[in-house]
Amino acid sequence: MIKYIIKRLLLLIPVLFGVSLIVFFLMRVCAPDPAPIVLGQHATQESMDAWREANGLNDPVVVQYVDFMKGAFTGDLGTSYYTKAPVTQEIMSRFPATVELAIIAIILASVFGIIVGVISAVHKNSIFDNGGMLLSLVGVSVPIFWLGIMLIILFSGTLHWLPSTGRVDPALRPDTVTGFMIIDSIISGDTEALVDVLRHLVLPAVTLSLYSMAIIARMTRSSMLETLNQDYIRTARAKGVADGKVNRRHALRNAMLPVSTVIGLQLGSLLGGAVLTESVYSWPGIGNYTVQCIMKSDFPVVQGVVLLIAVIFVLMNLIVDVIYAFLDPRIKYSGKEA
């Protein structure tokens, strides 16, 4: 197992190299020149040339890439063109918001997805099964940005039940300790702030979780149906074991093996792909920030965020594989496996 983990971690190097190469050259080829955007429309040609020279944009692209990779290996991802702050600092200041949203979303998706999947499998071809699969179909079909707008119109604009933007009311913002608003509210003992933070989380978390919930529900149903047809399930029922106990202790436990893999991969997707949700709700995470930086051609920030997302995906895949091996003792990894 240790050899397998080490090998997977070593594979992270070529993956990051490939990702960095693609995003670096795409930004240089497809993105507009950042100089007039940063300096303004009335900037002179001389000032723009001086700015490009100061930021190394006059160097050959290959030289720029080598310099970027040298800094990346030492943890220096460059400096934002706009804030003049280190990219690592800019990303880390917003990353807790994305992590908090993704964790709440995956919890919602997992709980409701597993419940829907189990009910659909146990009551196969019933109204519950058809309703659950219809909900799953809606979940994978509805565009996130459209769903977010509809929820804002209904729950914020019409009913006035929930806020539509931000993480917390500025007047109730707790002291920043960890960057996670829920934890900071608990640490400060501010119940009012905690309630407000949770209210701000409802709409974006529901929006972000719907697609993952649909995927988890489908996988749970498929895995449960396969498990319920196993001989040991029929044997347990033949011995007179109650259906509820069979479904809960025997079927669900074994059916959760592939479901746990899907949940782990979906969490990685949520951490790296909450761009639309964060943009719709003005959520101050790395997704929304990345969109702003792409529009402003802030090359260093975009490159840094993409590298971070790549690392998250690779590590989540590794963690899922390791957890799967612990859940199923029949699975053995060796250093020879990819």
Side-chain angles (χ1 to χ4, degrees), residues 44-59:
T44 63
Q45 186 63 45
E46 291 76 11
S47 62
M48 289 191 290
D49 290 339
W51 184 88
R52 292 191 193 96
E53 183 66 30
N55 288 274
L57 295 179
N58 286 337
D59 297 333

Side-chain angles (χ1 to χ4, degrees), residues 33-49 51-52 81-82 84 296:
D33 183 5
I37 302 176
V38 174
L39 300 178
Q41 296 180 349
H42 301 292
T44 63
Q45 186 63 45
E46 291 76 11
S47 62
M48 289 191 290
D49 290 339
W51 184 88
R52 292 191 193 96
Y81 291 157
Y82 294 86
K84 305 302 181 183
K296 297 187 296 185

Side-chain angles (χ1 to χ4, degrees), residues 89-303:
Q89 177 183 319
E90 291 287 320
I91 294 175
M92 289 300 104
S93 66
R94 293 167 175 81
F95 193 53
T98 297
V99 173
E100 190 170 57
L101 175 59
I103 290 177
I104 298 299
I106 200 63
I107 291 174
L108 292 176
S110 300
V111 171
F112 289 102
I114 291 173
I115 291 174
V116 170
V118 169
I119 293 176
S120 297
V122 172
H123 302 282
K124 182 182 178 182
N125 296 328
S126 68
I127 187 173
F128 299 104
D129 186 18
N130 294 332
M133 291 305 96
L134 177 61
L135 179 62
S136 298
L137 179 62
V138 171
V140 298
S141 304
V142 173
I144 289 180
F145 68 88
W146 181 86
L147 176 63
I149 293 172
M150 293 300 103
L151 292 179
I152 290 175
I153 292 174
L154 176 59
F155 291 100
S156 183
T158 303
L159 299 176
H160 303 290
W161 287 356
L162 297 167
S164 60
T165 60
R167 296 179 70 189
V168 65
D169 187 327
L172 299 175
R173 186 182 185 89
D175 295 333
T176 301
V177 179
T178 64
F180 298 94
M181 289 294 177
I182 294 178
I183 298 177
D184 290 345
S185 299
I186 294 174
I187 292 176
S188 62
D190 192 338
T191 305
E192 188 178 4
L194 177 61
V195 171
D196 190 68
V197 168
L198 294 176
R199 291 181 69 248
H200 278 79
L201 270 167
V202 172
L203 291 184
V206 169
T207 302
L208 187 60
S209 68
L210 186 61
Y211 178 82
S212 296
M213 182 184 70
I215 299 298
I216 293 170
R218 285 174 173 241
M219 176 57 70
T220 303
R221 179 183 183 274
S222 176
S223 184
M224 276 290 291
L225 286 175
E226 182 179 350
T227 305
L228 289 172
N229 289 325
Q230 298 295 318
D231 291 338
Y232 68 89
I233 297 294
R234 287 192 288 267
T235 301
R237 285 175 173 165
K239 290 182 177 180
V241 181
D243 285 346
K245 188 174 182 180
V246 170
N247 295 333
R248 184 177 62 256
R249 288 194 176 182
H250 300 286
L252 181 59
R253 180 178 297 179
N254 290 283
M256 280 300 295
L257 290 174
V259 176
S260 63
T261 301
V262 173
I263 292 174
L265 296 178
Q266 286 299 310
L267 176 58
S269 299
L270 295 181
L271 286 171
V275 174
L276 291 177
T277 302
E278 291 187 2
S279 298
V280 170
Y281 291 99
S282 298
W283 191 262
I286 59 171
N288 188 26
Y289 181 57
T290 303
V291 172
Q292 297 173 10
C293 291
I294 291 175
M295 300 298 292
K296 297 187 296 185
S297 295
D298 198 343
F299 296 164
V301 174
V302 176
Q303 293 159 185

